[in-house]
């Protein structure tokens, strides 16, 4: 299944499928198809550029391979931005991204797995919609950030405080949301260690 991602047409297929999540007629089928392909054909690592394109977030440039200056930029905690007009209907994409982050965290084998830079880019994608006017979207942003923190701690074996520092932009603009994520992560980690 992984060879599908290496095809030239994959990016276009992924972008168009993600766009279908927004469709009333096709959204459910698109979600099902993406769920069936996730883990077998693609992971968050090799999909980040397509997702950022659909969300209208300028992460595609920082997804380049081997660019140290851009990698260090991606590691800084981003400041949450106001969402642009064309991302007004990206609620379903953010919801899918949050669910997929959680699903991937629970996969037995993730190949390729997000690295620290990829995790930072994923956090950036959620930050780009933190001030969205839709309450459901804002809830999915906080859920997605929580799943990112858990992914970082459990799959990348990063220290909890270090991963929470990657979300420090949220602490400045929404301290209550940041604290909620921190508390929820601690509860999940305690429950899963039992």
């Amino acid at each position: 299944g992984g060879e599908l991602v290496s095809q030239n047409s994959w990016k276009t297929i992924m972008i168009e499928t993600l766009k279908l999540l927004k469709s009333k007629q096709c959204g459910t089928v698109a979600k099902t198809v993406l769920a069936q392909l996730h883990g077998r054909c693609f992971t968050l690592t090799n999909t980040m550029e397509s997702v950022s394109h659909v969300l209208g977030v300028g992460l595609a440039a920082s997804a380049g391979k081997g660019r140290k200056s851009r990698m260090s930029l991606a590691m800084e905690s981003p400041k949450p931005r106001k969402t642009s007009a064309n991302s007004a209907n990206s609620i379903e994409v953010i919801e899918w991204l949050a669910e997929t982050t959680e699903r991937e965290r629970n996969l037995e084998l993730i190949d390729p797995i997000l690295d620290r830079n990829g995790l930072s880019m994923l956090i950036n994608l959620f930050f780009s919609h933190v001030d969205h006017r839709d309450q459901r979207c804002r809830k999915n942003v906080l859920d997605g950030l929580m799943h990112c923190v858990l992914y970082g701690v459990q799959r990348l074996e990063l220290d909890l405080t270090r991963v929470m520092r990657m979300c420090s932009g949220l602490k400045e603009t929404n301290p209550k949301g940041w604290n909620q994520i921190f508390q929820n992560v601690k509860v999940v980690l305690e429950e899963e260690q039992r």
Side-chain angles (χ1 to χ4, degrees):
E3 64 275 357
L4 181 67
V5 179
S6 63
Q7 299 296 318
N8 290 333
S9 57
W10 170 253
K11 185 177 171 188
T12 304
I13 292 167
M14 189 66 187
I15 287 170
E16 294 305 316
T17 307
L18 287 167
K19 285 179 182 176
L20 287 175
L21 289 171
K22 305 173 192 179
S23 163
K24 295 232 186 295
Q25 293 106 348
C26 305
T28 307
V29 173
K31 199 172 196 176
T32 302
V33 167
L34 289 168
Q36 290 172 349
L37 294 175
H38 179 239
R40 293 191 340 217
C41 296
F42 73 89
T43 64
L44 290 169
T45 299
N46 50 29
T47 309
M48 202 77 70
E49 192 174 344
S50 300
V51 175
S52 64
H53 177 84
V54 172
L55 291 175
V57 179
L59 287 181
S62 55
K65 293 178 181 143
R67 297 204 175 111
K68 298 285 182 221
S69 61
R70 287 193 174 143
M71 281 183 135
S72 61
L73 281 175
M75 288 303 295
E76 296 171 15
S77 177
K79 300 279 186 275
R81 298 194 289 260
K82 299 284 183 215
T83 52
S84 61
N86 77 349
S87 64
N89 61 349
S90 51
I91 300 163
E92 292 80 6
V93 178
I94 290 290
E95 180 178 51
W96 172 83
L97 190 59
E99 292 169 358
T100 302
T101 304
E102 173 64 357
R103 191 177 313 116
E104 185 161 313
R105 177 179 76 87
N106 289 303
L107 286 176
E108 212 168 294
L109 176 72
I110 307 169
D111 184 28
I113 191 167
L114 280 175
D115 59 10
R116 205 175 304 156
N117 188 46
L119 182 65
S120 185
M121 284 192 256
L122 183 60
I123 288 168
N124 271 324
L125 288 175
F126 287 114
F127 273 149
S128 71
H129 286 70
V130 78
D131 292 326
H132 198 281
R133 67 176 182 260
D134 185 90
Q135 183 181 357
R136 188 175 116 214
C137 187
R138 290 192 308 271
K139 181 200 176 301
N140 283 314
V141 164
L142 292 179
D143 286 350
L145 288 170
M146 182 185 78
H147 300 320
C148 287
V149 172
L150 287 165
Y151 193 114
V153 171
Q154 293 180 316
R155 299 313 294 251
L156 303 181
E157 299 177 357
L158 298 172
D159 182 62
L160 175 58
T161 51
R162 184 176 194 158
V163 184
M164 288 305 295
R165 229 178 287 135
M166 294 169 85
C167 299
S168 64
L170 181 67
K171 189 176 186 179
E172 295 168 22
T173 59
N174 183 352
K176 184 179 173 186
W178 188 88
N179 277 326
Q180 179 185 353
I181 290 170
F182 188 59
Q183 296 308 318
N184 289 348
V185 165
K186 289 198 303 193
V187 168
V188 170
L189 291 173
E190 285 171 16
E191 285 177 359
E192 290 183 1
Q193 281 181 339
R194 289 181 200 161

